[in-house]
Amino acid sequence: MSAMSESSQDTRIPVTILTGFLGSGKTTLLNHILDDQTHGMRFAIIENEFGDVGVDEKILSEKSDEEVIEVMNGCICCTVRGDLVVALKKLHKKIEKFDAVIIETTGLADPAPVAQTFFVDDDIQSMYVLDGIITVVDAKHIMARLDDEKPEGVENEAEEQVAFADRILVNKTDLASTIELDNIEKRLRKLNPMAAFYRCTQSKVEPKNLIGIKAFSLSRVTEMDPEFLDTEGEHEHDPSVSSIAFKFDGYLNMHKLSELISDIIQNMGANLYRYKGVLNVAGMSEKFVFQGVGMLFSGNFEGTWAQGEKRECRFVFIGKDINKKTLTDGFMSCKCDDKLRFQLGDSVQANGPKGWTPGKIIKLWDEGNPYRIELQDEQGTNVWAPVDIDSFVKLP
Ligand SMILES: Nc1nc2c(ncn2[C@@H]2O[C@H](COP(=O)(O)OP(=O)(O)OP(=O)(O)O)[C@@H](O)[C@H]2O)c(=O)[nH]1
């Protein structure tokens, strides 16, 4: 029988493993593939979430009607022989709803044990075929991650992700010069001379180059890693890299929060691989949603708190040598009462540009500031009290 007729009879569902370090652009790529109209394929997605405080729930949500989505908590590469097999078997029962599976691993996952699942479990082998491993790298941070020193016996996940890839997306090319990109590619090619490389921004690579490519080669992988099929093999993660997830009720003061965030980025940024959060800011009807990679932070007010929705603060930080207590204490110290000491129209003393000046409260909760005060000077200057304490605003 020819290879052609053999493959045309293969009814197994193709699976793509989407990997890449924290914040490299995996979810951006997944959304790009799902939004693409040209492939005409329907996907089942296995999302691997790190930790149990979900801050990602909005991602993919609008697509959940069209796609079959399974979420696995914890680290996929450690639970692989258990949870992933269960998730794949469960998915297979809905086989009429999709043509292919995409597994998005966490950024700290080693893709090898995930790939191994498709070769060591007989049931899985009869249902699925591994189509390819796609690795997204962040051009701004990949060199630092490859340089990270790891303890004896611990693999560098970023290196593993590159070594096992069939396709490598060098993403965020807007954040690196051509020379830097050439150097990155040179280094990555040493780790993996076989993969096809794509330079991109926003993970924009044509899906046909990534999906349905029949690229995964067991012989290449076993040549590179002779123990690939050894199910007894253990792997360890770097114990100095950890994730903290936290949630609490309460309102945060915007001014204190801004100071805290710039302090975190300045002092801990280099060790923060990934962080995300949704915060409840006093006086704001919208959620403060932030996320970042290293020192690149973004945060905006977006999406109004729905009526009846619990206004709570949730965040996740993943990094090296991070101190849970420092971070959680920091956020807790931004908590404030949403009830204010003064009312609209109250006369107060405000600590304005010319020192203590009499004024009148003309607005409550203005852009996250508890008070907007009109000073009783010639111009009727407006000032904002960022925190409801005596050092900014007090009784006349
Ligand atoms: N400047 C720049 N930012 C990008 C690019 N692609 C993605 N990003 C941003 O990088 C951040 C991380 O992207 P994600 O797609 O969430 O990365 P991820 O790999 O899924 O991250 P994890 O949450 O760690 O799994 C987001 O803020 C993206 O908007 C790019 O080409 N250039």
Side-chain angles (χ1 to χ4, degrees), residues 82-290:
D83 299 1
L84 179 58
V85 167
V86 173
L88 284 164
K89 287 184 181 168
K90 194 166 141 197
L91 265 188
H92 204 261
K93 298 203 174 95
K94 301 179 192 162
I95 190 171
E96 72 288 351
K97 292 197 177 154
F98 58 86
D99 312 302
V101 176
I102 301 177
I103 301 176
E104 183 187 349
T105 71
T106 74
L108 287 176
D110 175 354
V114 183
Q116 188 197 55
T117 310
F118 297 92
F119 299 94
V120 297
D121 184 293
D122 289 345
D123 290 340
I124 297 297
Q125 249 184 310
S126 67
M127 295 171 181
Y128 298 98
V129 56
L130 184 55
D131 186 59
I133 299 180
I134 314 296
T135 299
V136 186
V137 306
D138 172 340
K140 171 100 185 146
H141 296 101
I142 185 68
M143 290 299 220
R145 296 294 72 83
L146 294 175
D147 287 339
D148 277 340
E149 300 231 349
K150 296 286 167 184
E152 181 79 23
V154 172
E155 278 153 357
N156 179 316
E157 295 93 350
E159 212 170 88
E160 291 288 294
Q161 292 163 356
V162 169
F164 280 91
D166 298 301
R167 301 284 184 269
I168 296 175
L169 274 58
V170 180
N171 189 36
K172 308 197 187 182
T173 53
D174 54 314
L175 302 179
S177 67
T178 311
I179 294 172
E180 285 169 325
L181 292 170
D182 290 345
N183 287 336
I184 290 169
E185 209 166 304
K186 221 184 273 171
R187 183 154 176 195
L188 300 184
R189 275 198 192 283
K190 276 197 196 138
L191 292 169
N192 186 336
M194 303 300 286
F197 281 69
Y198 298 88
R199 291 184 187 185
C200 54
T201 53
Q202 301 299 331
S203 303
K204 281 210 176 94
V205 171
E206 277 202 50
K208 71 171 177 2
N209 293 323
L210 308 175
I211 304 283
I213 51 177
K214 298 192 171 68
F216 186 83
S217 157
L218 187 60
S219 58
R220 175 183 91 80
V221 164
T222 45
E223 200 175 301
M224 175 178 73
D225 175 7
E227 283 159 26
F228 176 74
L229 292 175
D230 172 10
T231 53
E232 299 307 312
E234 289 293 326
H235 75 284
E236 273 180 57
H237 287 288
D238 183 348
S240 67
V241 174
S242 62
S243 128
I244 67 149
F246 202 62
K247 63 176 171 183
F248 59 88
D249 292 343
Y251 291 83
L252 303 185
N253 175 279
M254 191 60 216
H255 173 73
K256 290 186 180 176
L257 184 61
S258 309
E259 285 187 341
L260 172 73
I261 287 173
S262 58
D263 186 54
I264 291 174
I265 293 165
Q266 287 300 318
N267 296 316
M268 302 170 72
N271 278 345
L272 291 178
Y273 295 157
R274 192 81 175 108
Y275 42 95
K276 305 176 188 182
V278 179
L279 303 175
N280 177 21
V281 173
M284 301 299 290
S285 55
E286 294 184 306
K287 303 171 182 185
F288 184 75
V289 180
F290 73 93

